[in-house]
Amino acid sequence: LREQEGFKIRLLLQVDTLCHRIPGFIEKAARAGCNMVFIGLENINPESLMGTKKRQNKIWEYREMLQAWRRAKVMTWAGYILGFPTDTPESIARDIEIIKRELPVDILEFFCLTPLPGSEDHKNLFLRQVAMDPDMNKYDLEHVCTAHPLMSKEEWERVYMNAWKIYYTDEHVETVLRRGVASGLNPRKIVDALTVFSGAAHIEGVHPLQFGFVRRKVRTQRRQGLPIENPLVFYPRRALEFSLTAWRWMRLMRRYRAIMRRVLETPDAAGYMDEALRPSTPEDGALPHFVQVFADKIPNTYGAPTREAASM
C-alpha cells in the first residue's frame, strides 16, 4: 500500500523483545510505515523478570534489539515496571541509570506493579491476605495498591515520581537527541515525545497515557462524597491553575527545543557514539556491562551467558 499505491501510512506497533530474531521483520515493519514501537522491557533485573514470568525477555539481547530498530530508523518506546518484591529505592535508581547509560531506548515510561482485579497476582495476594487498596479507581498502574516487602507505601510512591525525574533530566534528554540524530531519526519527533512524557508527570501529575493538551475539569462533577465547590472559589482557582500549567509547558518546550538546537548545531553530530550505541562484535566478545552486573542472577535455564563468558 505504501510503496505501490502511495498510501501515507504511519504505524505504532507493540512488539515482543525477541522480534528482532525474525528474519526481515524489523525491515518490513519499517517499510510498512512503522516509525515507533512500544516494547515491554518491564525490568532489567532478571529476578524481577522471573517474577512476571517474562522468560522471553533476555536482557543480554536488549541492546542488540534496540539497535536493530534504530538501524531501521524507528523510535523505541519502552515500558518499565517499579515495585517488584526485590526492588528498593536504591536498586531502582541504579537500574534506571544503567538504562540511561547502556541501552539506546528513546522514551521510557514507568508503571507501578499492580495486582489487577481478576489476575493471578490479585488472587494470590488475596489468598495470602496481603493488604490491597479497596478503591478500584486506583488500579490504574500509577498508584500503589498493595503492600511491598521492602518499601513502605510512601517510599514506593516517592520512587515512582522520582523515576520520571531520574530519566528525564536535561542531560539525558540531550543524550537521547544526540543518539537520535546519529541514528538518522527525526529529532523533532523525538523532542515532542520527550516533552509530553516528561511534562505529563512533572507538570500535570498524571501518567503520559492520560495526558491531554487541555485538562478539563467540571465544577459539578466530583467523586462521590466530595462537596460541590462554590463557583467563586472554583473558577478563579481553575483560571490560576490553567495559566500556571500553560506557562510551565511553554517553559519546558522552549528548554527542550533549545537542547535540540544545540545538538543539531554540533559539528559532526551524525558521528556521535556512546556505550549504548556501540555494537557488540564477535571479535571483542564483549557483552553490555549491565549484563555482567546481573550475571549471577540469570537462571541457567535461560541459556544466558555466564559471568565467566561475560568477562572473556
Side-chain angles (χ1 to χ4, degrees), residues 134-186:
D135 186 352
M136 294 292 104
N137 291 294
K138 295 183 179 178
Y139 287 72
D140 56 6
L141 309 184
E142 59 180 297
H143 287 88
V144 175
C145 300
T146 186
H148 190 276
L150 301 178
M151 295 186 289
S152 66
K153 179 181 179 181
E154 292 73 23
E155 286 179 314
W156 193 349
E157 291 172 340
R158 195 158 50 245
V159 159
Y160 173 76
M161 292 308 302
N162 285 341
W164 299 97
K165 298 177 183 178
I166 294 171
Y167 187 80
Y168 291 97
T169 63
D170 286 3
E171 293 77 13
H172 190 59
V173 166
E174 181 171 341
T175 297
V176 170
L177 285 167
R178 290 194 182 280
R179 291 172 182 167
V181 170
S183 301
L185 302 179
N186 184 339

Side-chain angles (χ1 to χ4, degrees), residues 38-44 48-49 52 54 57 62 79-82 84 111:
F38 175 81
I39 307 164
L41 290 184
E42 317 304 11
N43 212 278
I44 63 170
S48 299
L49 291 174
T52 61
K54 287 274 187 175
N57 285 28
Y62 278 1
Y80 199 80
I81 299 176
L82 310 173
F84 288 104
F111 303 94

